[in-house]
Amino acid sequence: MKADLSSSVLRMLAAPTILALTLSSCKLVGPDHSVPSSETAASYKNGSNDFSKRLSTNWWKVFGDSKLNSLMGNLQSGNFDLRAAEARRNQAYAVLGVNRSELFPNISAQGSAQRSRSSENDRAGSFGGAQSYYNQYNIGASLGYEIDLWGRVRRLVESGQANAAAAEVSVDQVRLSLQAQLARNYFAMRFLDSEIEVLREALDTRNETLALATDRFKGGKTSELDVARAESELASTRAQLVSLEAPRASLENSIAILVGRNASNFSIAPSAIKGGAPRVPAGSPAQLLGRRPDVFVAERRLAASSAEIGVAQAEFFPKISLIGSGGVSSVNSSNFLNWSSSAFSVGPQVDLPVFQGFRRKANVELAVARHEEALAGYQQTVLTAFADVENALASRRGADKEISAQADSIKAARKSFDLSDARYKEGVSSYLDVVDSQRELLNARRTEVQARGRAFEATVQLIQALGGGFSR
């Protein structure tokens, strides 16, 4: 008898559920998402189509810098902005789980056993009196399920899936941005180290020149003015050297934040960079959109907004739900599980708000406007992607040309200094010629270091513009 009662209750609830799931396969209302077409080009203005493969996910290794490799590992494990992005991704998946739950029936079970006493006044007013104490036993189950005839729930899930995919790739987007920022700060600091090295070499030269001017003055071969000029040049170079200390410290502290370290306990030993930046081919514009995480995120946000239009439009149609409940109830435990104690109810519930002050119409307009905003955002992201690559290629090309020009400038300035220094030592040239040639050589060397720094920065910029090692 107990088994028969249980199976009867389950059949009572299961049959309508199967019917509801069958009805829920109707066509969805609202637009279906499609990726908008985008204007592209055959090639970049400032590059060649020589891209043969994707960049590695560990793209920074193309620079061959072991310290940078170590810092990138620390960023992955210690950066708090990256952790926040991962938390946002988890939130998006949790929201998707909530949305998916509406695809299934909401089934709950209840049970109670109560001992009650009736009011004496109630008993006095009833014919024949009534028992003052009695028991009540109940076991039951209830079901509620929205029959998704118009696709409101499925569109809601579609939106959640798109948002979750966007949040997943947003982690890659944030990671790439942080990695690029770390690389830029690192190379900016290293090229300050290179400038500092140049200035220290210039200090040594100026100390030698000051010693020479002092000796010549003591020997009566020149005036005290040459000594004063030599001291002035030495002090000026020392001041230039000191002026680079604060920017370097600031970059070092920025790196500490990126790798999740306290700046007070973090330091990087100085080290100059001698070589040039590696070459990173850009490929063709047609390859770009599939390799940019921000483009993928924008496209998924657009898909989510498209699904939200369907959710809003479904509110115009009746909301049909299947409501059912069943169980057993008795005041005696002896017949509690008998069929005669069973009770149930089952049937559809239709909800169609007749008038809500045009709220549903406004919700559709809101969803459409948000979709238009997402579409504009996607198209803007696409255009920005192409411009980012073009800007990086132009910056790298300009830096390379400047490096080449500065190499000639250094060669000419060094020759000028050697000649003026030799002529001054022979007493046939003014010390002003030495001062001018020293300044020209120092400026040329510093400018060449700065140009190489810009080449490294442009390379990092290009890698980021190409999407790093992102692959989806």
mmCIF file of all heavy atoms in Angstrom, residues 90-132:
data_model
loop_
_atom_site.group_PDB
_atom_site.id
_atom_site.type_symbol
_atom_site.label_atom_id
_atom_site.label_comp_id
_atom_site.label_asym_id
_atom_site.label_seq_id
_atom_site.Cartn_x
_atom_site.Cartn_y
_atom_site.Cartn_z
ATOM 1 N N ASN A 90 33.664 34.113 -12.018
ATOM 2 C CA ASN A 90 32.924 33.151 -11.203
ATOM 3 C C ASN A 90 31.510 33.645 -10.920
ATOM 4 O O ASN A 90 30.567 32.847 -10.867
ATOM 5 C CB ASN A 90 33.674 32.901 -9.889
ATOM 6 C CG ASN A 90 35.030 32.257 -10.107
ATOM 7 O OD1 ASN A 90 35.278 31.666 -11.166
ATOM 8 N ND2 ASN A 90 35.915 32.368 -9.145
ATOM 9 N N GLN A 91 31.367 34.954 -10.727
ATOM 10 C CA GLN A 91 30.031 35.516 -10.521
ATOM 11 C C GLN A 91 29.159 35.290 -11.747
ATOM 12 O O GLN A 91 27.977 34.950 -11.637
ATOM 13 C CB GLN A 91 30.141 37.013 -10.232
ATOM 14 C CG GLN A 91 30.799 37.367 -8.914
ATOM 15 C CD GLN A 91 31.040 38.858 -8.784
ATOM 16 O OE1 GLN A 91 30.205 39.663 -9.190
ATOM 17 N NE2 GLN A 91 32.187 39.247 -8.234
ATOM 18 N N ALA A 92 29.736 35.484 -12.925
ATOM 19 C CA ALA A 92 28.970 35.316 -14.160
ATOM 20 C C ALA A 92 28.514 33.872 -14.323
ATOM 21 O O ALA A 92 27.373 33.615 -14.744
ATOM 22 C CB ALA A 92 29.813 35.741 -15.366
ATOM 23 N N TYR A 93 29.365 32.930 -13.979
ATOM 24 C CA TYR A 93 28.958 31.519 -14.063
ATOM 25 C C TYR A 93 27.897 31.188 -13.024
ATOM 26 O O TYR A 93 27.002 30.353 -13.266
ATOM 27 C CB TYR A 93 30.178 30.609 -13.898
ATOM 28 C CG TYR A 93 30.960 30.430 -15.176
ATOM 29 C CD1 TYR A 93 32.236 30.955 -15.318
ATOM 30 C CD2 TYR A 93 30.409 29.742 -16.261
ATOM 31 C CE1 TYR A 93 32.956 30.797 -16.499
ATOM 32 C CE2 TYR A 93 31.117 29.580 -17.444
ATOM 33 C CZ TYR A 93 32.391 30.114 -17.547
ATOM 34 O OH TYR A 93 33.093 29.963 -18.722
ATOM 35 N N ALA A 94 27.974 31.822 -11.856
ATOM 36 C CA ALA A 94 26.947 31.602 -10.840
ATOM 37 C C ALA A 94 25.596 32.138 -11.314
ATOM 38 O O ALA A 94 24.558 31.490 -11.127
ATOM 39 C CB ALA A 94 27.358 32.274 -9.527
ATOM 40 N N VAL A 95 25.598 33.318 -11.943
ATOM 41 C CA VAL A 95 24.361 33.876 -12.495
ATOM 42 C C VAL A 95 23.808 32.953 -13.574
ATOM 43 O O VAL A 95 22.584 32.730 -13.661
ATOM 44 C CB VAL A 95 24.613 35.294 -13.060
ATOM 45 C CG1 VAL A 95 23.404 35.780 -13.844
ATOM 46 C CG2 VAL A 95 24.934 36.256 -11.929
ATOM 47 N N LEU A 96 24.689 32.392 -14.397
ATOM 48 C CA LEU A 96 24.251 31.441 -15.421
ATOM 49 C C LEU A 96 23.583 30.231 -14.768
ATOM 50 O O LEU A 96 22.558 29.736 -15.258
ATOM 51 C CB LEU A 96 25.449 30.993 -16.266
ATOM 52 C CG LEU A 96 25.177 29.889 -17.299
ATOM 53 C CD1 LEU A 96 24.100 30.309 -18.288
ATOM 54 C CD2 LEU A 96 26.466 29.525 -18.028
ATOM 55 N N GLY A 97 24.131 29.758 -13.661
ATOM 56 C CA GLY A 97 23.523 28.636 -12.951
ATOM 57 C C GLY A 97 22.130 28.978 -12.437
ATOM 58 O O GLY A 97 21.210 28.148 -12.502
ATOM 59 N N VAL A 98 21.969 30.204 -11.940
ATOM 60 C CA VAL A 98 20.646 30.644 -11.481
ATOM 61 C C VAL A 98 19.667 30.680 -12.652
ATOM 62 O O VAL A 98 18.512 30.226 -12.541
ATOM 63 C CB VAL A 98 20.744 32.028 -10.805
ATOM 64 C CG1 VAL A 98 19.361 32.572 -10.504
ATOM 65 C CG2 VAL A 98 21.570 31.946 -9.531
ATOM 66 N N ASN A 99 20.111 31.205 -13.797
ATOM 67 C CA ASN A 99 19.242 31.264 -14.971
ATOM 68 C C ASN A 99 18.855 29.870 -15.458
ATOM 69 O O ASN A 99 17.698 29.625 -15.816
ATOM 70 C CB ASN A 99 19.939 32.031 -16.103
ATOM 71 C CG ASN A 99 20.127 33.504 -15.790
ATOM 72 O OD1 ASN A 99 19.496 34.031 -14.870
ATOM 73 N ND2 ASN A 99 20.994 34.175 -16.523
ATOM 74 N N ARG A 100 19.813 28.976 -15.463
ATOM 75 C CA ARG A 100 19.531 27.606 -15.925
ATOM 76 C C ARG A 100 18.550 26.886 -15.020
ATOM 77 O O ARG A 100 17.817 25.992 -15.465
ATOM 78 C CB ARG A 100 20.839 26.825 -16.002
ATOM 79 C CG ARG A 100 21.656 27.091 -17.262
ATOM 80 C CD ARG A 100 22.971 26.358 -17.237
ATOM 81 N NE ARG A 100 23.661 26.433 -18.514
ATOM 82 C CZ ARG A 100 24.940 26.148 -18.696
ATOM 83 N NH1 ARG A 100 25.678 25.770 -17.646
ATOM 84 N NH2 ARG A 100 25.494 26.250 -19.882
ATOM 85 N N SER A 101 18.537 27.248 -13.750
ATOM 86 C CA SER A 101 17.637 26.567 -12.819
ATOM 87 C C SER A 101 16.181 26.752 -13.208
ATOM 88 O O SER A 101 15.326 25.921 -12.866
ATOM 89 C CB SER A 101 17.872 27.081 -11.395
ATOM 90 O OG SER A 101 17.436 28.424 -11.254
ATOM 91 N N GLU A 102 15.874 27.836 -13.944
ATOM 92 C CA GLU A 102 14.493 28.074 -14.352
ATOM 93 C C GLU A 102 14.046 27.147 -15.476
ATOM 94 O O GLU A 102 12.862 27.105 -15.819
ATOM 95 C CB GLU A 102 14.314 29.529 -14.772
ATOM 96 C CG GLU A 102 14.514 30.528 -13.645
ATOM 97 C CD GLU A 102 13.991 31.912 -13.986
ATOM 98 O OE1 GLU A 102 12.928 31.987 -14.644
ATOM 99 O OE2 GLU A 102 14.642 32.902 -13.612
ATOM 100 N N LEU A 103 14.976 26.400 -16.063
ATOM 101 C CA LEU A 103 14.605 25.422 -17.082
ATOM 102 C C LEU A 103 13.969 24.174 -16.479
ATOM 103 O O LEU A 103 13.360 23.380 -17.196
ATOM 104 C CB LEU A 103 15.840 25.004 -17.892
ATOM 105 C CG LEU A 103 16.452 26.055 -18.826
ATOM 106 C CD1 LEU A 103 17.781 25.556 -19.365
ATOM 107 C CD2 LEU A 103 15.500 26.383 -19.974
ATOM 108 N N PHE A 104 14.111 23.997 -15.189
ATOM 109 C CA PHE A 104 13.672 22.775 -14.529
ATOM 110 C C PHE A 104 12.528 23.066 -13.556
ATOM 111 O O PHE A 104 12.376 24.189 -13.076
ATOM 112 C CB PHE A 104 14.844 22.134 -13.778
ATOM 113 C CG PHE A 104 16.035 21.856 -14.651
ATOM 114 C CD1 PHE A 104 17.094 22.759 -14.710
ATOM 115 C CD2 PHE A 104 16.080 20.722 -15.437
ATOM 116 C CE1 PHE A 104 18.178 22.520 -15.521
ATOM 117 C CE2 PHE A 104 17.167 20.471 -16.260
ATOM 118 C CZ PHE A 104 18.220 21.370 -16.309
ATOM 119 N N PRO A 105 11.740 22.053 -13.277
ATOM 120 C CA PRO A 105 10.651 22.248 -12.322
ATOM 121 C C PRO A 105 11.187 22.566 -10.927
ATOM 122 O O PRO A 105 12.263 22.124 -10.537
ATOM 123 C CB PRO A 105 9.930 20.899 -12.322
ATOM 124 C CG PRO A 105 10.364 20.219 -13.578
ATOM 125 C CD PRO A 105 11.739 20.704 -13.863
ATOM 126 N N ASN A 106 10.404 23.328 -10.212
ATOM 127 C CA ASN A 106 10.714 23.637 -8.821
ATOM 128 C C ASN A 106 9.889 22.693 -7.957
ATOM 129 O O ASN A 106 8.670 22.858 -7.818
ATOM 130 C CB ASN A 106 10.365 25.100 -8.530
ATOM 131 C CG ASN A 106 10.744 25.507 -7.119
ATOM 132 O OD1 ASN A 106 11.321 24.726 -6.377
ATOM 133 N ND2 ASN A 106 10.379 26.718 -6.752
ATOM 134 N N ILE A 107 10.543 21.691 -7.412
ATOM 135 C CA ILE A 107 9.855 20.653 -6.639
ATOM 136 C C ILE A 107 10.301 20.748 -5.194
ATOM 137 O O ILE A 107 11.498 20.842 -4.904
ATOM 138 C CB ILE A 107 10.158 19.244 -7.190
ATOM 139 C CG1 ILE A 107 9.732 19.162 -8.664
ATOM 140 C CG2 ILE A 107 9.463 18.177 -6.373
ATOM 141 C CD1 ILE A 107 10.110 17.858 -9.329
ATOM 142 N N SER A 108 9.337 20.724 -4.300
ATOM 143 C CA SER A 108 9.645 20.760 -2.869
ATOM 144 C C SER A 108 8.782 19.736 -2.141
ATOM 145 O O SER A 108 7.703 19.361 -2.614
ATOM 146 C CB SER A 108 9.413 22.165 -2.299
ATOM 147 O OG SER A 108 8.068 22.558 -2.463
ATOM 148 N N ALA A 109 9.275 19.289 -1.030
ATOM 149 C CA ALA A 109 8.550 18.311 -0.201
ATOM 150 C C ALA A 109 8.372 18.882 1.196
ATOM 151 O O ALA A 109 9.215 19.639 1.677
ATOM 152 C CB ALA A 109 9.304 16.990 -0.144
ATOM 153 N N GLN A 110 7.245 18.525 1.801
ATOM 154 C CA GLN A 110 6.954 19.005 3.145
ATOM 155 C C GLN A 110 6.475 17.840 4.005
ATOM 156 O O GLN A 110 5.907 16.867 3.514
ATOM 157 C CB GLN A 110 5.873 20.094 3.130
ATOM 158 C CG GLN A 110 6.096 21.244 2.158
ATOM 159 C CD GLN A 110 5.589 20.963 0.766
ATOM 160 O OE1 GLN A 110 4.634 20.215 0.596
ATOM 161 N NE2 GLN A 110 6.244 21.545 -0.223
ATOM 162 N N GLY A 111 6.676 17.966 5.249
ATOM 163 C CA GLY A 111 6.183 16.973 6.209
ATOM 164 C C GLY A 111 5.989 17.618 7.561
ATOM 165 O O GLY A 111 6.744 18.524 7.934
ATOM 166 N N SER A 112 4.968 17.195 8.293
ATOM 167 C CA SER A 112 4.735 17.757 9.621
ATOM 168 C C SER A 112 3.990 16.754 10.483
ATOM 169 O O SER A 112 3.251 15.895 9.978
ATOM 170 C CB SER A 112 3.944 19.068 9.534
ATOM 171 O OG SER A 112 2.634 18.833 9.040
ATOM 172 N N ALA A 113 4.198 16.877 11.768
ATOM 173 C CA ALA A 113 3.452 16.098 12.773
ATOM 174 C C ALA A 113 3.166 17.048 13.925
ATOM 175 O O ALA A 113 4.099 17.553 14.559
ATOM 176 C CB ALA A 113 4.258 14.900 13.236
ATOM 177 N N GLN A 114 1.881 17.313 14.178
ATOM 178 C CA GLN A 114 1.510 18.326 15.162
ATOM 179 C C GLN A 114 0.537 17.757 16.198
ATOM 180 O O GLN A 114 -0.329 16.930 15.892
ATOM 181 C CB GLN A 114 0.844 19.528 14.466
ATOM 182 C CG GLN A 114 1.765 20.248 13.499
ATOM 183 C CD GLN A 114 1.059 21.380 12.788
ATOM 184 O OE1 GLN A 114 -0.165 21.362 12.658
ATOM 185 N NE2 GLN A 114 1.838 22.356 12.344
ATOM 186 N N ARG A 115 0.705 18.236 17.394
ATOM 187 C CA ARG A 115 -0.218 17.937 18.492
ATOM 188 C C ARG A 115 -0.932 19.248 18.811
ATOM 189 O O ARG A 115 -0.297 20.252 19.129
ATOM 190 C CB ARG A 115 0.550 17.450 19.710
ATOM 191 C CG ARG A 115 -0.266 17.222 20.962
ATOM 192 C CD ARG A 115 -1.155 16.019 20.831
ATOM 193 N NE ARG A 115 -1.781 15.681 22.111
ATOM 194 C CZ ARG A 115 -2.740 14.770 22.254
ATOM 195 N NH1 ARG A 115 -3.157 14.092 21.173
ATOM 196 N NH2 ARG A 115 -3.260 14.506 23.437
ATOM 197 N N SER A 116 -2.296 19.268 18.720
ATOM 198 C CA SER A 116 -3.051 20.505 18.858
ATOM 199 C C SER A 116 -4.127 20.384 19.921
ATOM 200 O O SER A 116 -4.601 19.281 20.250
ATOM 201 C CB SER A 116 -3.701 20.881 17.519
ATOM 202 O OG SER A 116 -2.753 20.974 16.510
ATOM 203 N N ARG A 117 -4.517 21.528 20.454
ATOM 204 C CA ARG A 117 -5.633 21.614 21.407
ATOM 205 C C ARG A 117 -6.599 22.658 20.889
ATOM 206 O O ARG A 117 -6.220 23.785 20.578
ATOM 207 C CB ARG A 117 -5.128 22.017 22.791
ATOM 208 C CG ARG A 117 -6.233 22.201 23.832
ATOM 209 C CD ARG A 117 -5.646 22.686 25.152
ATOM 210 N NE ARG A 117 -6.671 22.820 26.167
ATOM 211 C CZ ARG A 117 -7.474 23.879 26.332
ATOM 212 N NH1 ARG A 117 -7.340 24.917 25.512
ATOM 213 N NH2 ARG A 117 -8.393 23.903 27.293
ATOM 214 N N SER A 118 -7.880 22.320 20.795
ATOM 215 C CA SER A 118 -8.882 23.247 20.306
ATOM 216 C C SER A 118 -9.373 24.147 21.431
ATOM 217 O O SER A 118 -9.284 23.804 22.624
ATOM 218 C CB SER A 118 -10.059 22.492 19.683
ATOM 219 O OG SER A 118 -10.673 21.669 20.671
ATOM 220 N N SER A 119 -9.938 25.273 21.084
ATOM 221 C CA SER A 119 -10.469 26.227 22.062
ATOM 222 C C SER A 119 -11.717 25.671 22.742
ATOM 223 O O SER A 119 -12.576 25.048 22.094
ATOM 224 C CB SER A 119 -10.792 27.543 21.353
ATOM 225 O OG SER A 119 -11.577 28.375 22.156
ATOM 226 N N GLU A 120 -11.820 25.874 24.053
ATOM 227 C CA GLU A 120 -13.007 25.431 24.783
ATOM 228 C C GLU A 120 -14.254 26.150 24.284
ATOM 229 O O GLU A 120 -15.336 25.572 24.216
ATOM 230 C CB GLU A 120 -12.822 25.687 26.274
ATOM 231 C CG GLU A 120 -11.730 24.812 26.902
ATOM 232 C CD GLU A 120 -11.624 25.054 28.415
ATOM 233 O OE1 GLU A 120 -12.457 25.818 28.926
ATOM 234 O OE2 GLU A 120 -10.724 24.467 29.017
ATOM 235 N N ASN A 121 -14.164 27.419 23.974
ATOM 236 C CA ASN A 121 -15.309 28.160 23.456
ATOM 237 C C ASN A 121 -15.766 27.609 22.118
ATOM 238 O O ASN A 121 -16.956 27.579 21.809
ATOM 239 C CB ASN A 121 -14.970 29.633 23.323
ATOM 240 C CG ASN A 121 -14.761 30.295 24.671
ATOM 241 O OD1 ASN A 121 -15.319 29.856 25.675
ATOM 242 N ND2 ASN A 121 -13.955 31.367 24.702
ATOM 243 N N ASP A 122 -14.806 27.199 21.270
ATOM 244 C CA ASP A 122 -15.183 26.570 20.000
ATOM 245 C C ASP A 122 -15.924 25.265 20.251
ATOM 246 O O ASP A 122 -16.916 24.958 19.591
ATOM 247 C CB ASP A 122 -13.945 26.301 19.140
ATOM 248 C CG ASP A 122 -13.370 27.585 18.562
ATOM 249 O OD1 ASP A 122 -14.092 28.583 18.528
ATOM 250 O OD2 ASP A 122 -12.183 27.562 18.148
ATOM 251 N N ARG A 123 -15.442 24.491 21.210
ATOM 252 C CA ARG A 123 -16.085 23.207 21.506
ATOM 253 C C ARG A 123 -17.485 23.421 22.069
ATOM 254 O O ARG A 123 -18.421 22.701 21.746
ATOM 255 C CB ARG A 123 -15.235 22.410 22.491
ATOM 256 C CG ARG A 123 -13.887 21.971 21.946
ATOM 257 C CD ARG A 123 -13.295 20.821 22.775
ATOM 258 N NE ARG A 123 -13.243 21.127 24.201
ATOM 259 C CZ ARG A 123 -12.235 21.792 24.776
ATOM 260 N NH1 ARG A 123 -11.226 22.229 24.020
ATOM 261 N NH2 ARG A 123 -12.232 22.038 26.068
ATOM 262 N N ALA A 124 -17.659 24.473 22.924
ATOM 263 C CA ALA A 124 -18.964 24.715 23.543
ATOM 264 C C ALA A 124 -20.011 25.115 22.513
ATOM 265 O O ALA A 124 -21.203 24.854 22.672
ATOM 266 C CB ALA A 124 -18.846 25.814 24.603
ATOM 267 N N GLY A 125 -19.552 25.773 21.435
ATOM 268 C CA GLY A 125 -20.507 26.234 20.426
ATOM 269 C C GLY A 125 -20.840 25.194 19.383
ATOM 270 O O GLY A 125 -21.671 25.432 18.525
ATOM 271 N N SER A 126 -20.182 24.066 19.397
ATOM 272 C CA SER A 126 -20.433 23.036 18.377
ATOM 273 C C SER A 126 -21.375 21.984 18.907
ATOM 274 O O SER A 126 -21.436 21.727 20.115
ATOM 275 C CB SER A 126 -19.117 22.380 17.945
ATOM 276 O OG SER A 126 -18.518 21.741 19.057
ATOM 277 N N PHE A 127 -22.143 21.367 18.033
ATOM 278 C CA PHE A 127 -23.078 20.317 18.417
ATOM 279 C C PHE A 127 -22.323 19.058 18.806
ATOM 280 O O PHE A 127 -21.479 18.578 18.068
ATOM 281 C CB PHE A 127 -24.044 20.001 17.268
ATOM 282 C CG PHE A 127 -24.968 21.136 16.964
ATOM 283 C CD1 PHE A 127 -24.711 22.004 15.919
ATOM 284 C CD2 PHE A 127 -26.096 21.359 17.747
ATOM 285 C CE1 PHE A 127 -25.564 23.046 15.637
ATOM 286 C CE2 PHE A 127 -26.951 22.409 17.464
ATOM 287 C CZ PHE A 127 -26.690 23.253 16.411
ATOM 288 N N GLY A 128 -22.621 18.560 19.947
ATOM 289 C CA GLY A 128 -21.996 17.325 20.393
ATOM 290 C C GLY A 128 -20.618 17.516 20.944
ATOM 291 O O GLY A 128 -19.975 16.552 21.338
ATOM 292 N N GLY A 129 -20.133 18.756 20.969
ATOM 293 C CA GLY A 129 -18.787 18.980 21.487
ATOM 294 C C GLY A 129 -17.736 18.502 20.508
ATOM 295 O O GLY A 129 -18.009 18.017 19.433
ATOM 296 N N ALA A 130 -16.503 18.621 20.893
ATOM 297 C CA ALA A 130 -15.374 18.211 20.047
ATOM 298 C C ALA A 130 -14.222 17.789 20.938
ATOM 299 O O ALA A 130 -14.129 18.214 22.090
ATOM 300 C CB ALA A 130 -14.944 19.352 19.147
ATOM 301 N N GLN A 131 -13.392 16.952 20.403
ATOM 302 C CA GLN A 131 -12.231 16.489 21.165
ATOM 303 C C GLN A 131 -11.277 17.651 21.404
ATOM 304 O O GLN A 131 -10.980 18.419 20.504
ATOM 305 C CB GLN A 131 -11.535 15.373 20.378
ATOM 306 C CG GLN A 131 -10.393 14.727 21.135
ATOM 307 C CD GLN A 131 -9.758 13.604 20.337
ATOM 308 O OE1 GLN A 131 -10.185 13.322 19.239
ATOM 309 N NE2 GLN A 131 -8.762 12.966 20.924
ATOM 310 N N SER A 132 -10.818 17.835 22.614
ATOM 311 C CA SER A 132 -9.970 18.979 22.942
ATOM 312 C C SER A 132 -8.544 18.815 22.436
ATOM 313 O O SER A 132 -7.891 19.785 22.082
ATOM 314 C CB SER A 132 -9.976 19.215 24.460
ATOM 315 O OG SER A 132 -9.475 18.055 25.129
#
